[in-house]
Amino acid sequence: MIELWGEAVRSIEERVKPANRDQWLRPIECLAIGEGRIRLRAPNRYHKEWFEDNFLPSILENLQERAQTSFAVEFEVPEESPMTAKPQEALGDSVREVAAWRPTPAGLDNRYTFETFVVGARNQFGHAAARMVAGSPGSKYNPLFLYGGVGLGKTHLLHAIGHEIHRQHPDWKITVVTCEQFVSHFIRSMMNQRKQPSSISLMEEFRSHYREKPDVLLVDDIQFLANKDSSQDEFFHTFNALHLAQKQIVLTCDKLPAELPGVEERLQSRFAWGLIAEIGHPDLETRVAIIKRKAEIERMALGDDVALAIATAVRSNVRELEGALLQLSARSSITGRSIDKEFAEEVLRDLVSATPQGFSIESIQREVATYFDIKLHDLKGPKRLQSVARPRMIAMYLARKLTGASFPEIGSRFGGKDHSTVISAVKKIERLVAEDSNLRSVVTTLESHLRQR
Ligand code: ADP
Ligand code: MG
């Protein structure tokens, strides 16, 4: 069975640059495979995450095709960092603590706490608001609405609120979901209900899950509600029930409530009832502090000069900062070199063209046009043929995802299209990526081509 893994890896190797192959693919070891499970070993957590994001989807797809069955993937990562240690181990042996301990509410990420969040000028207000809400949930600021661009720490703060409330009120029911999970849970309940009208009401179960049970409801990426009318209606009632009962609601979003396209006004206005806080791009000083904190968590020795070099080279968002640190850590563990300024600058030089802030909309358009064998001119132009329109939507989606450019900006780079055209293209590809494995693999391939440039 284990050869199957090797074959699947080889099948994608030809599409991967030799340097990346040696660096990222080879160090992943397959320990066992069978009975619908695969066990892999990665040199460290960073490596694991990078591999999961960039290569795993294509390999899995290939593997599942060969084996005609699906696999759940488990990772073994030596030397777990303290943040990912099991809660019992972190507790020590105080009897009182053990008695008070309750398992972390499902869905809360252990890495995302206030302790690991670095406060700087641009996220100070959002952080203070989150602390306040966590300190007295349901009383004053309801809902708390956190908004900002990708990779800036919205999800991190959302989960930090959950952890803190859980620490202070271990018996409370904290429900944390992405908006996407809420929507798909809702649709599933509704459809099953239609199929089996006589069974115990699934809709009732759904409603009690969101409206009655939670003491706190945390919903990530609420912009996903756009243009989903029945889900919006359901969320409207969920919101009202919880708000009336003075249960804390926290929402994250990539825009202000009033700027949410395709979301009903009555919801927009409710989103603005409590407190709205923006999470902005971190300045240089904060970026340095974040890198140092992450290095500490990962137990990497990192000089101030190295932290500064990374923070200067990588400006786009915190997720990319983490990516750069990951590259450094992985390359140093493979080559055995210590992470000094010289080594960091070498790696960063390679990276700057490969990391998203090095992406231009233009380079994405070229890559997509080449991949689909269509003219760049047609990709940017007004043609509506499916053979051009689909690649165009994919290019818009990638432009949004990788450059973080605004919708109007992307529209203007595609021959002056309206921002709403871009929004609906991005939404459509987001949906298809979730539903259609062929399209997902096209998008993953394009992304990994772009990242290797
Ligand atoms: P968003 O939800 O806004 O897209 P995330 O919360 O997922 O962004 O953050 C992306 C990554 O950056 C996460 O790993 C998160 O821990 C980290 N991060 C973001 N902001 C900070 C910060 N101020 N301090 C420490 N880590 C941060
Ligand atoms: Mg997020």
Side-chain angles (χ1 to χ4, degrees):
M1 272 301 258
I2 241 156
E3 303 87 71
L4 263 183
W5 173 258
E7 284 165 22
V9 171
R10 274 191 293 283
S11 76
I12 74 150
E13 274 187 349
E14 62 202 50
R15 286 184 275 148
V16 178
K17 265 200 199 163
N20 278 328
R21 194 173 62 214
D22 295 342
Q23 191 181 335
W24 296 109
L25 272 179
R26 296 264 157 88
I28 299 286
E29 214 183 318
C30 180
L31 303 175
I33 178 167
E35 289 168 13
R37 301 165 95 85
I38 304 176
R39 198 154 175 78
L40 302 174
R41 179 157 52 210
N44 55 44
R45 188 166 67 75
Y46 270 157
H47 199 123
K48 159 183 175 282
E49 286 174 12
W50 204 90
F51 175 81
E52 273 179 318
D53 284 352
N54 293 281
F55 293 126
L56 187 60
S58 320
I59 297 177
L60 262 188
E61 210 155 287
N62 186 286
L63 183 70
Q64 293 176 349
E65 224 162 71
R66 281 170 203 270
Q68 288 297 309
T69 173
S70 62
F71 291 96
V73 179
E74 293 161 17
F75 271 95
E76 198 170 279
V77 181
E79 242 196 276
E80 289 273 284
S81 70
M83 285 317 299
T84 52
K86 293 192 183 62
Q88 291 96 322
E89 289 163 15
L91 269 176
D93 44 21
S94 150
V95 175
R96 191 185 53 78
E97 270 181 339
V98 172
W101 182 77
R102 297 271 190 293
T104 308
L108 280 185
D109 191 318
N110 279 330
R111 289 170 304 165
Y112 298 163
T113 61
F114 283 124
E115 286 69 40
T116 56
F117 191 83
V118 176
V119 185
R122 316 267 169 84
N123 61 23
Q124 200 175 17
F125 183 63
H127 170 261
R131 283 267 189 193
M132 238 159 20
V133 160
S136 52
S139 50
K140 220 170 171 187
Y141 303 112
N142 206 10
L144 172 62
F145 190 94
L146 297 168
Y147 84 98
V150 282
L152 298 180
K154 301 183 298 295
T155 301
H156 190 135
L157 278 180
L158 185 80
H159 286 235
I161 294 173
H163 284 297
E164 181 58 24
I165 297 181
H166 172 67
R167 200 177 64 77
Q168 296 190 22
H169 311 273
D171 297 326
W172 282 21
K173 166 103 175 102
I174 297 169
T175 300
V176 52
V177 283
T178 63
C179 185
E180 203 171 346
Q181 287 166 337
F182 177 89
V183 168
S184 70
H185 189 181
F186 169 63
I187 292 173
R188 232 173 25 241
S189 309
M190 209 167 54
M191 307 245 276
N192 286 344
Q193 187 74 38
R194 284 209 194 119
K195 271 191 250 155
Q196 307 160 304
S198 58
S199 66
I200 46 151
S201 171
L202 287 166
M203 270 319 291
E204 264 166 43
E205 250 174 57
F206 175 89
R207 292 203 166 123
S208 117
H209 182 78
Y210 289 100
R211 293 187 197 177
E212 288 155 29
K213 289 195 184 137
D215 293 295
V216 178
L217 178 66
L218 310 172
V219 186
D220 207 359
D221 290 323
I222 197 75
Q223 72 273 5
F224 193 79
L225 271 186
N227 304 317
K228 299 185 177 66
D229 294 347
S230 56
S231 302
Q232 278 185 40
D233 195 50
E234 184 62 30
F235 191 74
F236 176 77
H237 294 294
T238 305
F239 184 102
N240 290 345
L242 292 173
H243 196 271
L244 190 68
Q246 295 187 320
K247 302 292 173 67
Q248 182 68 45
I249 302 165
V250 185
L251 308 170
T252 74
C253 190
D254 64 358
K255 292 178 208 62
L256 280 165
E259 290 171 353
L260 272 173
V263 170
E264 316 167 19
E265 248 178 75
R266 56 180 187 166
L267 267 180
Q268 290 186 2
S269 81
R270 274 165 177 74
F271 291 168
W273 270 358
L275 184 62
I276 298 180
E278 181 180 3
I279 317 289
H281 282 79
D283 53 20
L284 181 67
E285 201 186 336
T286 315
R287 295 203 298 278
V288 170
I290 289 174
I291 291 170
K292 287 171 137 179
R293 178 69 60 83
K294 300 273 167 195
E296 213 178 284
I297 291 173
E298 295 301 323
R299 297 191 187 135
M300 281 169 73
L302 204 70
D304 287 358
D305 50 345
V306 177
L308 183 64
I310 304 174
T312 310
V314 182
R315 296 149 196 268
S316 51
N317 65 46
V318 182
R319 194 169 289 140
E320 298 309 330
L321 273 183
E322 290 183 342
L325 199 61
L326 171 165
Q327 292 262 357
L328 269 178
S329 144
R331 288 194 201 192
S332 116
S333 75
I334 291 159
T335 60
R337 286 179 61 181
S338 63
I339 305 180
D340 55 17
K341 186 152 178 255
E342 193 197 346
F343 179 63
E345 278 173 350
E346 222 176 280
V347 173
L348 286 165
R349 248 196 315 277
D350 286 359
L351 269 183
V352 167
S353 60
T355 49
Q357 71 274 14
F359 290 143
S360 60
I361 296 182
E362 176 81 14
S363 67
I364 292 169
Q365 290 170 328
R366 279 183 199 289
E367 186 71 39
V368 173
T370 312
Y371 183 91
F372 288 103
D373 199 26
I374 55 179
K375 292 202 192 76
L376 191 58
H377 174 78
D378 286 343
L379 186 82
K380 296 193 213 171
K383 277 194 187 162
R384 284 165 188 271
L385 284 174
Q386 166 90 0
S387 60
V388 187
R390 180 59 73 84
R392 183 184 299 135
M393 287 193 278
I394 292 176
M396 288 176 169
Y397 164 85
L398 287 171
R400 175 71 179 167
K401 179 166 178 202
L402 301 178
T403 72
S406 69
F407 293 121
E409 155 87 350
I410 297 172
S412 77
R413 304 290 289 277
F414 282 82
K417 297 200 173 48
D418 188 60
H419 74 281
S420 60
T421 310
V422 183
I423 293 173
S424 66
V426 173
K427 293 276 169 277
K428 176 150 187 194
I429 300 300
E430 269 171 6
R431 206 190 66 231
L432 288 175
V433 163
E435 291 169 2
D436 175 345
S437 65
N438 287 329
L439 190 111
R440 182 162 56 243
S441 99
V442 168
V443 170
T444 318
T445 308
L446 277 166
E447 246 190 272
S448 72
H449 282 180
L450 282 160
R451 284 185 196 282
Q452 287 162 37
R453 285 152 59 100

